[in-house]
Amino acid sequence: MTKSYDAIIIGAGVIGACTAFEMAKKGLKTLNVDKNAMAGYGSTSGSCAIIRTYYSVFDTCALAYEGWHYWKDWSSYLGSEDPRGMIKYHDTGCLVIKTEHNHQLSKICGIMDRIGCPYEHLTPDEMKAKLPIMDTHLFGPAKRPEDPGFCEPTGESVIGGVFFPRGGYVSDPALSAQNAEHAAKQQGADFLYNAEVSEIRQANGRTAGITLKDGMQIDAPVVVNVAGPHSSKINQMAGVFETMKMKTRALRHEVAHVPSPKGFDFEAKGYVYSDSDIATYCRPELGNHILIGSEDPECDTREWVDPDNFSRDFTDQWQVQAMRMAQRFPEMGIPSKMKGVVELYDVTDDWIPIYDKTDLPGFYVAIGTSGNQFKNAPVAGKMMAALIEACESGIDHDETPVEFHLEHIGHKVSVGFYSRNREVNQDSSFSVLG
């Protein structure tokens, strides 16, 4: 039996679900196919789900600030209440340390001025007033515990920091995808789980649909690859992997989960925190805990893996991240029992995502997103819907890139910035920061 749809979306993470929602609102009959058991059970579930406005370049900052408006009023954006519950967005703000590595945040603050996003410069004393558990000594460059001088200050004080009040986090990232799934279903979208794609079928020079591992064929003139860490495998099935200048790979990463320092309620009084001096970031977590991730310093080995064959066991990297954060929060204990998350990023060569058409008509990609695009999911879904609509109506996006209007902040961005055929963007941080 063959079913047919206007569009098939491979993946039901937060970006895949938001893409379905936006396409269904345009009247398209969509189907999301995911090999997992529920929406958000892939790399979305392992996300730290941080909402921030600062990236390395204008286009991604503009998308992120636009996205903040959706997270701030999530129920209004989706227009329906999920009976399983709605995510809670914690609008804590983000505290970022100024370093030579990030050019003392001067470029980022200039971009914030362009997009109208507020921020506040802080001295080390002002940072410590906001976060009394801080040790403001300089420790960089980031080291490993076995390196000479680890945990020893390399300077009297960091330069200072910037506080971005419009930022925070979502405490249940998988539920965010499920909320978007529910909203998409209210618009007529379908979702199919425990279903693995084995073939991207073609006919008459364009996409014709997919075949599942169990042999079931589903027809659609449009297929969208939002498969996260499996994106490169899906592109290979479609025959477009080799023709794309920008590639994606799966990167294994670990997030540590530790208690807040005694006597301080990090859940209630903490912030999203980014510190390139120690190459570590963190955010509050429920139960007065702290989630700690790495900002990918050169001294750490990046572990590129097969997304179907990797270890979910913690390694010494878990302790490395916790110990680096303990330099900044010296009263923070490091438990002997490791808790946290081991998941995958889907990473491009410059850590900036690809939102684009491909050389196969009808086959589109929203990939290279894991690690730093959770916050952009609502905007990415809307932008992909606009891109697909434009291309399917005959616009040659490669020749005349589609422009996308960011309605909340009043800016336009070129979707061509996220091209599969772009040169590596040398302004990127080349890390999870994007």
Side-chain angles (χ1 to χ4, degrees), residues 306-334:
D306 179 343
D308 292 313
N309 183 23
F310 71 99
S311 173
R312 291 189 180 274
D313 295 332
F314 292 115
T315 68
D316 64 346
Q317 182 63 30
W318 184 99
Q319 192 170 44
V320 168
Q321 291 167 198
M323 291 177 72
R324 284 190 183 129
M325 188 54 72
Q327 294 173 113
R328 191 66 70 213
F329 304 153
E331 299 301 318
M332 186 189 83
I334 301 176

Side-chain angles (χ1 to χ4, degrees), residues 320-393:
V320 168
Q321 291 167 198
M323 291 177 72
R324 284 190 183 129
M325 188 54 72
Q327 294 173 113
R328 191 66 70 213
F329 304 153
E331 299 301 318
M332 186 189 83
I334 301 176
S336 58
K337 185 176 181 180
M338 297 179 183
K339 295 182 179 179
V341 176
V342 179
E343 253 303 341
L344 300 180
Y345 291 154
D346 183 36
V347 181
T348 66
D349 300 328
D350 58 8
W351 288 74
I352 294 171
I354 305 169
Y355 299 123
D356 202 3
K357 58 172 279 192
T358 66
D359 290 352
L360 173 62
F363 188 76
Y364 299 85
V365 292
I367 60 176
T369 58
S370 302
N372 63 38
Q373 291 293 297
F374 174 94
K375 63 193 66 58
N376 289 340
V379 192
K382 191 172 291 242
M383 188 167 70
M384 286 301 299
L387 171 68
I388 293 165
E389 182 179 49
C391 292
E392 292 301 307
S393 68

Side-chain angles (χ1 to χ4, degrees), residues 164-232:
F164 300 89
R166 295 187 175 175
Y169 66 96
V170 171
S171 58
D172 191 341
L175 183 59
S176 67
Q178 291 157 22
N179 290 167
E181 171 209 38
H182 177 264
K185 286 181 174 179
Q186 297 297 106
Q187 299 291 330
D190 286 343
F191 287 75
L192 179 64
Y193 296 108
N194 298 310
E196 186 172 346
V197 177
S198 62
E199 181 186 7
I200 308 296
R201 290 184 294 105
Q202 301 178 29
N204 302 316
R206 65 168 293 130
T207 303
I210 63 173
T211 302
L212 299 180
K213 195 172 183 178
D214 64 5
M216 181 180 182
Q217 292 188 344
I218 308 172
D219 292 342
V222 169
V223 174
V224 191
N225 179 2
V226 200
H230 287 84
S231 67
S232 62

Side-chain angles (χ1 to χ4, degrees), residues 15 64 88 129 139 165 168 177 207 216 281 336 354 395 414 419 426 429:
I15 296 178
K88 181 178 180 181
F139 293 99
T207 303
M216 181 180 182
Y281 68 89
S336 58
I354 305 169
I395 291 175
S414 171
S419 170
Q426 297 301 327
S429 69

Side-chain angles (χ1 to χ4, degrees), residues 20 23 25 60 73 86 92 105-106 149 169 229 255 267 277 349 355 378 425:
M23 293 182 73
K25 284 196 297 183
T60 43
D73 198 1
M86 301 293 287
T92 60
L105 297 172
S106 58
Y169 66 96
V255 172
E267 182 184 353
D277 178 54
D349 300 328
Y355 299 123
N425 192 318

Side-chain angles (χ1 to χ4, degrees), residues 11-324:
V14 67
I15 296 178
C18 285
T19 300
F21 176 53
E22 294 296 344
M23 293 182 73
K25 284 196 297 183
K26 290 180 175 290
L28 298 173
K29 183 65 175 175
T30 66
L31 172 70
N32 286 65
V33 175
D34 199 295
K35 66 189 299 183
N36 292 298
M38 291 183 67
Y41 266 35
S43 58
T44 290
S45 66
S47 173
C48 282
I50 288 172
I51 311 301
R52 56 179 168 90
T53 57
Y54 51 90
Y55 280 89
S56 303
V57 294
F58 170 82
D59 299 77
T60 43
C61 287
L63 241 63
Y65 188 30
E66 176 75 9
W68 173 82
H69 292 80
Y70 292 99
W71 293 109
K72 181 72 173 170
D73 198 1
W74 184 243
S75 293
S76 293
Y77 162 61
L78 295 179
S80 62
E81 292 290 320
D82 190 337
R84 293 166 292 192
M86 301 293 287
I87 60 103
K88 181 178 180 181
Y89 166 60
H90 303 265
D91 204 31
T92 60
C94 306
L95 178 58
V96 186
I97 299 298
K98 294 179 180 179
T99 65
E100 295 299 330
H101 178 75
N102 61 30
H103 310 289
Q104 301 182 31
L105 297 172
S106 58
K107 182 178 178 181
I108 289 175
C109 289
I111 295 173
M112 295 300 108
D113 290 336
R114 286 180 64 189
I115 62 177
C117 183
Y119 60 90
E120 177 187 1
H121 290 284
L122 300 177
T123 65
D125 287 343
E126 289 169 332
M127 288 192 303
K128 196 167 178 62
K130 272 188 172 294
L131 209 51
I133 57 175
M134 285 186 69
D135 180 336
T136 57
H137 280 96
L138 196 69
F139 293 99
K143 307 174 185 67
R144 297 185 65 82
E146 63 269 21
D147 294 339
F150 179 79
C151 239
E152 296 177 7
T154 55
E156 185 62 30
S157 176
V158 295
I159 302 164
V162 174
F163 182 67
F164 300 89
R166 295 187 175 175
Y169 66 96
V170 171
S171 58
D172 191 341
L175 183 59
S176 67
Q178 291 157 22
N179 290 167
E181 171 209 38
H182 177 264
K185 286 181 174 179
Q186 297 297 106
Q187 299 291 330
D190 286 343
F191 287 75
L192 179 64
Y193 296 108
N194 298 310
E196 186 172 346
V197 177
S198 62
E199 181 186 7
I200 308 296
R201 290 184 294 105
Q202 301 178 29
N204 302 316
R206 65 168 293 130
T207 303
I210 63 173
T211 302
L212 299 180
K213 195 172 183 178
D214 64 5
M216 181 180 182
Q217 292 188 344
I218 308 172
D219 292 342
V222 169
V223 174
V224 191
N225 179 2
V226 200
H230 287 84
S231 67
S232 62
K233 291 192 173 187
I234 298 298
N235 284 343
Q236 288 166 354
M237 285 184 198
V240 302
F241 180 81
E242 295 299 334
T243 66
M244 296 173 64
K245 185 180 291 186
M246 189 66 58
K247 303 289 196 290
T248 59
R249 294 185 288 172
L251 177 67
R252 182 184 179 278
H253 74 104
E254 301 182 27
V255 172
H257 181 277
V258 305
S260 176
K262 288 183 179 180
F264 186 79
D265 191 341
F266 199 84
E267 182 184 353
K269 299 178 181 178
Y271 307 95
V272 170
Y273 178 80
S274 174
D275 190 336
S276 60
D277 178 54
I278 57 173
T280 311
Y281 68 89
C282 72
R283 71 155 173 86
E285 179 54 302
L286 302 180
N288 196 21
H289 281 73
I290 305 175
L291 289 185
I292 302 170
S294 172
E295 293 186 357
D296 310 295
E298 292 183 4
C299 59
D300 288 354
T301 300
R302 290 179 176 175
E303 189 180 352
W304 305 102
V305 299
D306 179 343
D308 292 313
N309 183 23
F310 71 99
S311 173
R312 291 189 180 274
D313 295 332
F314 292 115
T315 68
D316 64 346
Q317 182 63 30
W318 184 99
Q319 192 170 44
V320 168
Q321 291 167 198
M323 291 177 72
R324 284 190 183 129

